[in-house]
Amino acid sequence: MSASQPSQPPSSSEPSEPSEPPESLEPLEPRRADGAGDGPPPGGDAPTLLVKIFGKDRPGITAGLFDTLAAYAVDVVDIEQVVTRGRIVLCALVTAPTAGGTTEGDLRATVHSWADSLKLQAEIISGIGDNRPRGDGRSHVTVLGHPLTAESTAAIAATITSTGGNIDRIFRLAKYPVTAVEFAVSGTGTAELRTALATEAAEIGVDVAVVSAGLSRRAQRLVVMDVDSTLIQDEVIELFAAHAGCEDKVAEVTEQAMRGELDFEQSLHARVALLAGLDASVVDKVRTEVRLTPGARTLIRTLKRLGYQVGVVSGGFTQVTDDLKERLGLDFASANTLEVVDGKLTGRVVGEVVDRAGKARLLRSFAEQAGVPLAQTVAIGDGANDLDMLNTAGLGVAFNAKPMVREAAHTAVNVPFLDTVLYLLGVTREEVEAADGLVD
């Protein structure tokens, strides 16, 4: 059990005082080799009682239950509590009573009497020891719905079960701008689970991310994003093209490149050539026209507070990404550079072109500079030229992406809020809002 793991009330057919033999539970893990915590673990293979309380929430229920149990000198093995729409479910796994002259029957009677006095329901189940160990293979499955329907939730749960996985815990990460819930799953491999859920998610129209559980999820990490149609709502070259009077022609070529129908470098040179002769002062105008994607500032601000490093790589231009780096406090930024001679754009780019392979190469470079293993990196993008970067990262997120990108990435987000990526990292909306309420 976890301290916040939801529990289910007993079914109407389940007796509150079972007559069958006590349920046998596996013992706790062995004591540490360094001697810390020596002595028998709470519960061990001794008789234990699972005390379940549910009903209308109010202050003092938790204190009242344990004050009642204290009279029987029991040890606490595990606790969990959850409140949903004003209804509390409180579970306590405790050792059998050891106080002189008291019995399990006495404890049961006292707990039921206390619960009745508060108009709560109580159930007490006899057993042996602690919880069974979770199965090998542990993953976090994050599901985003807008809305999240019962039908899609059933499909996700059934798919998890079909892979041999067990759902150990479910909790809500956010209720807006999307509904986000996280499943803690054990008993099946992360890769197998990810493959099965990706197929199901595409069919039912929800976004699902699967990552391995463990300390690495909480470690400092690096997030690298594409810029055009990811960090920002625009395609930068189209903003330049609008000033050159060739926006439609450039947009057509851009769309073909993003779908993977044209070689990116060739298409880049063809589009940039159309900008020849533009006055360099247009750069300042384009910078003011750039529109950040909803949630972009929240995503970056929250990641920085968590100690993440954040970078961007773009097939666009440094004339814009350098400005974004300064405005948003990014750690890394790399893009192509428009050549300027005598105050005019020449229609050429200078230096090495940042293309599909270049983005993956830059992700590796940023990770090395940041001292972050690739397994702890996150990449976000929408186009075909982002695919190598998405597949190189520990977690690749296709953000409102083209179909071929959604199919190839680890996970996809198909809602127009960039900060929903935080939920894939296990960050809750409440945590984001609490951090925003603090003064940095």
Side-chain angles (χ1 to χ4, degrees), residues 173-195:
L173 292 166
K175 60 182 179 181
Y176 72 92
V178 299
T179 300
V181 296
E182 182 172 292
F183 296 74
V185 178
S186 62
T188 189
T190 298
E192 178 186 358
L193 190 58
R194 178 182 289 159
T195 300

Side-chain angles (χ1 to χ4, degrees), residues 96-289:
T98 59
T102 61
T103 66
E104 179 181 319
D106 296 332
L107 182 148
R108 287 175 179 271
T110 303
V111 170
H112 279 291
S113 176
W114 167 80
D116 288 344
S117 72
L118 297 177
K119 297 183 179 179
L120 298 170
Q121 292 178 273
E123 179 187 21
I124 303 174
I125 302 174
S126 300
I128 300 296
D130 194 5
N131 310 300
R132 294 185 178 90
R134 296 174 62 189
D136 292 337
R138 301 181 185 180
S139 305
H140 296 286
V141 177
T142 306
V143 181
L144 308 180
H146 191 55
L148 181 62
T149 66
E151 182 180 10
S152 59
T153 305
I156 293 297
T159 302
I160 292 171
T161 301
S162 72
T163 67
N166 184 71
I167 300 171
D168 301 315
R169 181 175 179 237
I170 307 172
F171 67 97
R172 186 174 68 182
L173 292 166
K175 60 182 179 181
Y176 72 92
V178 299
T179 300
V181 296
E182 182 172 292
F183 296 74
V185 178
S186 62
T188 189
T190 298
E192 178 186 358
L193 190 58
R194 178 182 289 159
T195 300
L197 286 172
T199 302
E200 185 64 34
E203 293 179 358
I204 63 178
V206 298
D207 299 332
V208 177
V210 183
V211 297
S212 297
L215 291 176
S216 62
R217 196 185 191 207
R218 299 181 178 89
Q220 179 178 349
R221 291 203 276 186
L222 168 70
V223 175
V224 176
M225 289 176 276
D226 174 41
V227 174
D228 294 4
S229 299
T230 301
L231 178 63
I232 66 174
Q233 300 178 60
D234 313 282
E235 292 287 332
V236 168
I237 195 165
E238 293 176 14
L239 297 179
F240 278 100
H243 292 280
C246 57
E247 182 179 12
D248 290 344
K249 189 171 183 179
V250 166
E252 181 181 350
V253 178
T254 299
E255 186 65 21
Q256 290 177 300
M258 291 300 99
R259 291 196 302 262
E261 298 171 2
L262 292 177
D263 174 81
F264 178 80
E265 184 171 351
Q266 291 177 338
S267 70
L268 175 68
H269 290 307
R271 288 173 291 167
V272 170
L274 297 172
L275 307 181
L278 270 179
D279 193 279
S281 63
V282 78
V283 169
D284 291 331
K285 297 177 182 177
V286 168
R287 286 175 174 174
T288 63
E289 292 167 353

